[in-house]
Amino acid sequence: MGVDGLVRTDYCGNIRTSDIDNEVTLFGWVQNWRDHGGVIFIDLKDREGIVQIVFDPSVNEKNHKQASKLRSQYCIGIKGRVRHRPEGTVNPNLKTGEVEVVVDELKVFSQSDILPFPVEEYVNVNEEIRLKYRYLDLRKPRMQKNIITRYKGAFAVRKYLDSQGFIDIETPILTKSTPEGARDFLVPSRLSQGKFYALPQSPQLFKQLLMVSGFDRYYQITKCFRDEDLRADRQPEFTQIDLEMSFVAEDDVMAVTEGIIESIFKETLGIDVKPPFKRIKYQEAMDRFGSDKPDMRFSLELKNLTDIAKTADFKVFNSVANSGGLVYGLNATGCINFSRKEIDDLTNLVAIYGAKGLAWIKVKENELQSPIVKFFGREQMDSILKALNAKPGDLLFFVADKPKVVYDALGALRLEIAKRLKLTDKNEYNFVWVTDFPLFEWSDEENRFEAMHHPFTSPIAEDLEYLESDPAKVRARAYDITLNGVEIGGGSIRIHRSDVQERMFRALNIKDEEAKAKFGFLIEALKFGAPPHGGIALGLDRIMTLILKEESIRDVIAFPKTQKGVCMLTDAPNDVDVKQLNELSLKVLKKKTEK
RNA sequence: GGAGCCGUAGUUCAGUUGGUUAGAACGCUGGCCUGUCACGCCAGAGGUCGCGAGUUCGAGUCUCGUCGGCUCCGCCA
């Protein structure tokens, strides 16, 4: 038991006045040391926190001498006696600040090289070097807290789902490539030369098959893989809380999801989030917030001015409004003092989303200041001001363009203005369900309709008749859950009839043979008594990022990858031996970057 | 595929209009110190200014390229 005759009795961070006079054995890392020539203080740290240990030459000279050699991040074990700190030396900043441990026995397990960066919370270190030495970065209390809280959240999910009769079932990691949707990570097969597995983008098809098998309620907290570009909230491998239920409708899945969220927040933050969460239909979310993941912690709503714009003399507006485009306005309440430069910055912001310009009006007490006001008649301008509820001191913005550009640009502008006005409270958790998504989305690139959610999503029954005649009109039985403007999950009621599934593939312009080759096993399975079913997948990483108030998903993942998908720690991905390639009948062609 | 920001000591940063030997703090090494807690005091070591070209009498500073990190657009059923 133990190490070198030492058996741990406590974690450093847990020593309290109740332990006074007890003999304790502690293991940990030297966080800091203060050598006064005589007495030496060491802050000994483990995952639970820090406790001060004391070496006194008058108590044990040999230990004291050895302790003078201790340096930052040495790994040691000690046996000693807990005592109250002398009067006037209590440290109220430490949970263990009333006590200290007088050391009787010291074992040095590992010395430490000079650190590549200070393992101290108060030093902001470049993320590149943090990731290279991630194991040291993870020693910091903030990262320990993040990883441990993540565990608590995941465990809360398991407890809750177990209590609701869900069964955790593993699904394959080596599976079939289905090029619909995200790009797959491919794994070459040695036994079937020239063929490839794909890593799952989600367990979607397998969990549907599990419903056909009668498991009724399935869940899994599992890795998913998507070979797409990374972002602050996107990693190539990420963790989903994935679940599926039979004999249910939207409300059932949403209720379970709310139960999960409630459990996570209770077990991690101790907060009651109080379901049911509010719901908004997709079209309304776009119309009011310019986003299908609206941050509803603040209002700053968009206003549709297209009808007014149709009759305006301002060509930029009326030509767009009369040719299928939209003209929307946004009242940046009280922002009249925005400088020319600030407005230019915001113009650059909307340009990212394709907006060709950003019209504005400053509403003063007795006049309007604006480059565009001269193009409007008195009545038109009055109706615009009225629509935007403009008051003196307000700054009004307008974008006229294709619907997607208008929504994206003003949606982003809305968020930026909220940020500048500090309208968002990180301690508020504002959950919103977004429902009634369109089933399809037109793809200019593919020149066909694509599934907005995925091709297994059930259409709303009353829209089923338009599946062939007017796909754009068909709504999906899909729902996303958002938190503070972040999509944290999405799901749907699935198609459980093979004939409907086949119609769906046809609507997506996927030929029968192709559908059979790619998804034949699903279509077939749906022919053997498939129950009505639906489910959802929640992004654990994103949820934890919000709970922990981090900016990046990387800070809640133990070993994340950089923006280029590189693991700074291991250097993956790396070159492999020609022998390995030969076994797979693979040959690397000239790399794209080499000319 | 595209846009922007960044790269100077182990770390975090400063470095003026292009001008002598590139600085500070922390850390590190040595010494002193018996109640500190981001201890204190003294001394010291530590730099190919990411890399490569170019402009210039002279480049950390300007230009171009390149590598790497970050943010965003596209992409992410």
Side-chain angles (χ1 to χ4, degrees):
Chain A
M1 291 265 286
V3 183
D4 288 355
L6 295 179
V7 179
R8 173 155 58 201
T9 59
D10 299 273
Y11 282 106
C12 301
N14 293 343
I15 306 294
R16 296 288 184 276
T17 49
S18 57
D19 297 305
I20 283 172
D21 291 336
N22 288 348
E23 187 180 74
V24 295
T25 300
L26 307 173
F27 297 132
W29 288 265
V30 174
Q31 185 58 30
N32 205 352
W33 76 99
R34 295 172 291 281
D35 184 344
H36 288 257
V39 68
I40 297 172
F41 300 107
I42 285 186
D43 294 333
L44 189 63
K45 187 187 75 175
D46 61 22
R47 72 175 213 208
E48 300 297 320
I50 281 175
V51 70
Q52 173 166 284
I53 64 176
V54 186
F55 294 86
D56 190 331
S58 63
V59 173
N60 185 325
E61 200 171 336
K62 184 169 150 278
N63 277 348
H64 178 267
K65 200 175 170 192
Q66 206 187 350
S68 70
K69 300 272 189 278
L70 293 175
R71 292 295 180 266
S72 188
Q73 301 303 318
Y74 280 26
C75 180
I76 66 171
I78 60 121
K79 189 185 276 189
R81 199 160 292 278
V82 182
R83 72 178 182 196
H84 207 284
R85 291 192 183 195
E87 199 162 339
T89 64
V90 165
N91 183 349
N93 300 320
L94 285 180
K95 282 179 180 166
T96 60
E98 283 189 74
V99 296
E100 62 190 12
V101 179
V102 187
V103 178
D104 291 323
E105 191 179 343
L106 166 66
K107 298 268 189 205
V108 179
F109 301 127
S110 292
Q111 302 191 336
S112 170
D113 279 357
I114 308 241
L115 298 162
F117 56 85
V119 183
E120 293 281 2
E121 209 71 272
Y122 61 89
V123 183
N124 273 328
V125 183
N126 184 339
E127 192 171 3
E128 198 174 347
I129 198 153
R130 285 175 56 205
L131 291 177
K132 185 170 177 191
Y133 299 94
R134 186 59 155 182
Y135 43 89
L136 292 179
D137 188 49
L138 290 172
R139 271 189 203 162
K140 295 181 188 171
R142 167 181 151 212
M143 295 306 291
Q144 296 254 316
K145 177 187 163 203
N146 288 2
I147 299 301
I148 291 168
T149 305
R150 180 191 173 110
Y151 163 73
K152 286 180 178 166
F155 189 64
V157 173
R158 293 187 187 282
K159 264 198 302 192
Y160 174 77
L161 287 175
D162 183 71
S163 78
Q164 299 298 306
F166 283 78
I167 299 166
D168 179 356
I169 305 175
E170 292 167 88
T171 53
I173 294 296
L174 295 176
T175 180
K176 184 175 181 176
S177 178
T178 53
E180 285 287 301
R183 189 179 292 113
D184 286 320
F185 278 101
L186 296 177
V187 180
S189 164
R190 179 179 58 82
L191 296 174
S192 301
Q193 297 263 305
K195 297 191 177 181
F196 294 83
Y197 301 100
L199 304 182
Q201 298 174 25
S202 95
Q204 181 61 35
L205 295 174
F206 288 104
K207 69 175 177 178
Q208 289 192 241
L209 297 177
L210 288 170
M211 293 305 104
V212 177
S213 302
F215 286 102
D216 192 67
R217 290 183 160 213
Y218 140 96
Y219 87 98
Q220 198 179 181
I221 299 179
T222 191
K223 279 285 178 74
C224 299
F225 306 86
R226 291 177 193 175
D227 189 7
E228 298 293 347
D229 286 7
L230 289 76
R231 287 282 193 284
D233 62 353
R234 274 163 36 187
Q235 283 273 305
E237 54 177 307
F238 59 99
T239 304
Q240 283 196 343
I241 302 161
D242 190 54
L243 66 90
E244 196 76 7
M245 310 161 73
S246 290
F247 311 112
V248 293
E250 288 88 330
D251 285 349
D252 301 287
V253 181
M254 289 159 105
V256 165
T257 304
E258 287 169 347
I260 291 173
I261 299 284
E262 196 177 13
S263 302
I264 295 176
F265 276 74
K266 187 73 187 168
E267 296 291 323
T268 56
L269 292 174
I271 287 176
D272 292 309
V273 293
K274 299 193 175 67
F277 305 146
K278 55 178 162 270
R279 299 184 188 187
I280 188 170
K281 289 182 178 174
Y282 170 84
Q283 194 51 54
E284 186 185 343
M286 298 304 286
D287 196 52
R288 290 171 58 194
F289 305 103
S291 171
D292 63 356
K293 44 186 180 181
D295 189 340
M296 290 171 64
R297 284 176 294 177
F298 54 95
S299 60
L300 273 184
E301 293 191 18
L302 279 46
K303 297 291 177 206
N304 189 345
L305 308 171
T306 309
D307 284 342
I308 301 173
K310 276 178 185 166
T311 62
D313 292 331
F314 189 32
K315 191 153 182 295
V316 175
F317 278 15
N318 69 35
S319 66
V320 167
N322 289 312
S323 60
L326 299 175
V327 179
Y328 271 57
L330 173 66
N331 183 348
T333 318
C335 292
I336 195 163
N337 290 326
F338 274 23
S339 66
R340 184 70 221 192
K341 171 156 192 323
E342 283 174 293
I343 293 175
D344 283 348
D345 287 346
L346 296 173
T347 306
N348 290 336
L349 173 74
V350 296
I352 292 171
Y353 300 90
K356 290 178 273 298
L358 181 64
W360 54 271
I361 297 173
K362 284 185 175 178
V363 185
K364 299 191 169 177
E365 203 63 55
N366 290 311
E367 59 163 336
L368 300 173
Q369 183 191 339
S370 165
I372 64 162
V373 74
K374 61 188 173 211
F375 298 109
F376 293 88
R378 181 78 212 177
E379 271 180 34
Q380 285 173 333
M381 189 46 71
D382 280 348
S383 50
I384 288 173
L385 297 179
K386 195 179 167 207
L388 288 168
N389 194 25
K391 296 177 297 297
D394 290 348
L395 173 57
L396 315 177
F397 289 110
F398 307 88
V399 171
D401 217 304
K402 291 179 293 190
K404 181 173 164 48
V405 172
V406 170
Y407 292 137
D408 288 353
L410 284 178
L413 182 67
R414 172 178 180 268
L415 295 179
E416 178 60 27
I417 288 169
K419 196 169 144 195
R420 293 187 183 203
L421 297 181
K422 298 189 168 57
L423 297 179
T424 53
D425 176 2
K426 276 197 169 186
N427 292 312
E428 184 185 344
Y429 295 98
N430 196 311
F431 294 93
V432 182
W433 284 105
V434 182
T435 65
D436 290 71
F437 281 84
L439 189 62
F440 300 104
E441 197 173 28
W442 180 257
S443 166
D444 283 331
E445 200 182 322
E446 299 281 329
N447 197 34
R448 65 173 172 95
F449 281 102
E450 290 190 326
M452 192 157 186
H453 192 53
H454 55 56
F456 319 108
T457 302
S458 177
I460 289 180
E462 62 186 86
D463 294 348
L464 191 57
E465 58 179 302
Y466 303 111
L467 200 56
E468 289 80 15
S469 58
D470 189 1
K473 195 174 174 179
V474 182
R475 288 163 300 164
R477 295 183 69 182
Y479 33 82
D480 278 1
I481 182 161
T482 70
L483 168 55
N484 294 354
V486 176
E487 181 195 333
I488 58 168
S492 62
I493 300 302
R494 327 297 184 186
I495 297 168
H496 72 281
R497 280 170 42 190
S498 61
D499 60 325
V500 177
Q501 187 64 67
E502 285 172 319
R503 281 173 68 190
M504 180 72 181
F505 286 134
R506 276 182 221 124
L508 289 165
N509 204 20
I510 299 174
K511 296 197 169 58
D512 287 359
E513 310 85 71
E514 191 187 347
K516 200 179 167 193
K518 285 178 181 167
F519 305 109
F521 62 97
L522 176 73
I523 296 167
E524 195 166 41
L526 296 180
K527 290 176 178 168
F528 294 100
H533 62 283
I536 196 166
L538 301 169
L540 180 65
D541 315 274
R542 285 187 185 174
I543 292 171
M544 295 317 302
T545 305
L546 289 162
I547 283 178
L548 290 160
K549 299 183 173 56
E550 291 289 358
E551 296 292 324
S552 161
I553 195 174
R554 294 184 296 278
D555 285 325
V556 304
I557 296 173
F559 300 104
K561 293 183 174 56
T562 67
Q563 200 176 45
K564 288 230 170 86
V566 169
C567 172
M568 295 297 285
L569 183 56
T570 62
D571 247 356
N574 57 323
D575 291 320
V576 295
D577 212 297
V578 176
K579 191 180 159 209
Q580 289 174 284
L581 292 176
N582 285 342
E583 284 179 338
L584 298 164
S585 300
L586 287 180
K587 190 172 177 182
V588 177
L589 300 175
K590 202 183 287 181
K591 290 173 193 162
K592 271 188 182 173
T593 48
E594 291 169 6
K595 284 166 191 155

